[in-house]
Amino acid sequence: MIMSAISQLLDRVRNWFKPEPALLLPPGTSLLAMGGFVPEGFSHGIEILNDDKTPMVFVVWVLEKELGFDTKAATRTMLQIHTKGGALLALKTREEAERVASAITWHAHDRGHPLSCKAVSVDRES
């Protein structure tokens, strides 16, 4: 039921505007080392990279489930990941980032999606 509602929302978003083409960054890319990705005040968080296999609706769902985003914020973040090639999402501690990255990676693997998510900190890249 939730996945159906998310799919309907994504269809409405697609009808409102034509999204930018997807940007795929090479595996192993560090968003911390690239300009334009690090949010102000970022210390710890997760890095999610876009791929051309993971369904958008799954990314929205996992952001809602593991980060507590509402559907609108999760959809906006998913579109950022899709168009910019990835996103850095701040969390309070390295431990929380590790937990969330592990959970997202588990959900993706469990469903056969190649979504790349890892914990990162500004004092170390992985």
Side-chain angles (χ1 to χ4, degrees):
M1 175 127 197
I2 291 174
M3 296 296 268
S4 174
I6 293 170
S7 287
Q8 290 173 0
L9 177 64
L10 287 174
D11 287 341
R12 288 192 349 224
V13 167
R14 285 185 199 107
N15 289 333
W16 287 334
F17 67 96
K18 187 165 180 96
E20 295 290 321
L23 178 61
L24 299 175
L25 299 171
T29 297
S30 168
L31 298 181
L32 285 174
M34 296 178 68
F37 282 98
V38 183
E40 186 158 336
F42 184 92
S43 294
H44 311 283
I46 60 170
E47 172 184 275
I48 301 178
L49 296 179
N50 188 37
D51 64 71
D52 57 357
K53 302 276 189 264
T54 303
M56 292 177 174
V57 67
F58 172 79
V59 176
V60 170
W61 174 80
V62 81
L63 292 172
E64 290 174 334
K65 178 164 182 51
E66 295 303 330
L67 292 169
F69 287 11
D70 63 32
T71 302
K72 187 183 277 188
T75 301
R76 187 172 29 253
T77 302
M78 176 277 299
L79 288 171
Q80 175 189 356
I81 293 165
H82 180 75
T83 58
K84 291 182 72 181
L88 289 171
L89 306 174
L91 294 167
K92 291 181 182 176
T93 66
R94 174 73 184 194
E95 292 75 24
E96 183 182 14
E98 293 281 354
R99 182 194 61 75
V100 170
S102 178
I104 289 173
T105 299
W106 183 88
H107 287 299
H109 178 75
D110 186 55
R111 288 159 179 83
H113 304 313
L115 186 66
S116 172
C117 179
K118 66 179 182 177
V120 294
S121 297
V122 292
D123 57 339
R124 61 183 196 215
E125 287 198 19
S126 57

